[in-house]
Amino acid sequence: MTRLVAIHPDNPQPRLLLQAADFVREGAIVALPTDSCYALGCRLGDKEALDRIRLIRQIDERHHLTLMVRDLSQIATYARVDNTQYRLLKAATPGSYVFILEGSKELPRRVLHPKRKTIGLRIPAHPVALALLEELGEPLLTCTLQLPGDETPLTEGWEIADRLDGQVDWILDAGYCGTEPTTVIDLSGAAPELVRAGRGPLAPFGLE
């Protein structure tokens, strides 16, 4: 059964964060607000929860998933980052970006792109997302909460509950947070490459 929880968007209640983190550790799928739009998230090592997210979104293993982390030190744990890439990441995070990077050996193969061995990584600039990551003490495996056939992501807690009742376990409802997705930039090659223009500005990467 889906639980809809009203959480303060700027000062999330510690009790609710603790409960949400405990449920994620036990295999829950959570819908959470970010600085771009709502996302679906689960524990990195939870294969069953990952399969459920892929079923909800109707995506296969070729769709880049996003590892949501709380700071740059975690990115360095889960991706191969050289000095040039690190400087770009430092200048643009936290923010509304997903960066495609080569995954490290710390990541299960099932979460990587099957041919490129890459994954999306992001540090969100939303108090609820960051606080949940801090409470959890580990990354969340995420993707945008945009359902098949929809033109925009879901952005109201009640609507998420109505359309995904029984499919997600927790909804952290912090109110409207927008429908414009992240800007996706591929940093796995010799130069930054724009994959999707979104909420994050392109200027820092010379891609305007």
Side-chain angles (χ1 to χ4, degrees), residues 5-77:
V5 178
I7 192 165
H8 196 283
D10 300 313
N11 298 291
Q13 300 91 320
R15 172 181 57 86
L16 298 179
L17 294 168
L18 177 62
Q19 291 176 1
D22 284 344
F23 274 89
V24 169
R25 293 187 191 103
E26 294 171 3
I29 294 175
V30 61
L32 70 154
T34 77
D35 49 317
S36 57
C37 52
Y38 276 82
L40 292 174
C42 70
R43 195 177 186 187
L44 172 59
D46 195 324
K47 181 181 182 300
E48 182 179 344
L50 170 59
D51 289 343
R52 289 170 58 201
I53 287 177
R54 283 179 166 153
L55 184 62
I56 291 169
R57 284 289 318 276
Q58 294 185 20
I59 54 176
D60 61 22
E61 68 277 3
R62 292 168 295 180
H63 181 95
H64 268 114
L65 299 166
T66 297
L67 197 63
M68 190 180 290
V69 300
R70 68 176 184 268
D71 55 35
L72 282 173
S73 67
Q74 284 194 324
I75 283 186
T77 299

Side-chain angles (χ1 to χ4, degrees), residues 8 28 37 44 49 66 76 100 130-131 134 153-154 160 162 178-179 198-199:
H8 196 283
C37 52
L44 172 59
T66 297
I100 306 299
L130 286 172
E134 186 68 32
L154 300 181
I160 298 170
D162 184 56
T179 58
R199 190 166 182 177

Side-chain angles (χ1 to χ4, degrees), residues 64-65 67 74-82 85 89 99-108 111-113 115-121 185-190:
H64 268 114
L65 299 166
L67 197 63
Q74 284 194 324
I75 283 186
T77 299
Y78 296 102
R80 300 180 186 276
V81 181
D82 62 25
Q85 292 167 330
L89 293 170
F99 300 100
I100 306 299
L101 292 161
E102 182 183 352
S104 75
K105 293 182 179 179
E106 297 294 322
L107 291 175
V111 307
L112 298 171
H113 189 281
K115 290 186 178 180
R116 300 181 58 199
K117 308 306 179 189
T118 47
I119 191 168
L121 285 109
I185 297 176
D186 191 338
L187 294 181
S188 64

Side-chain angles (χ1 to χ4, degrees), residues 121-165:
L121 285 109
R122 76 168 299 205
I123 304 173
H126 193 288
V128 173
L130 286 172
L132 179 58
L133 290 167
E134 186 68 32
E135 182 63 48
L136 192 59
E138 59 184 286
L140 278 170
L141 195 61
T142 69
C143 65
T144 302
L145 209 176
Q146 183 168 336
L147 299 183
D150 288 0
E151 294 185 0
T152 58
L154 300 181
T155 195
E156 298 286 354
W158 65 266
E159 187 179 18
I160 298 170
D162 184 56
R163 297 188 61 186
L164 292 178
D165 186 32

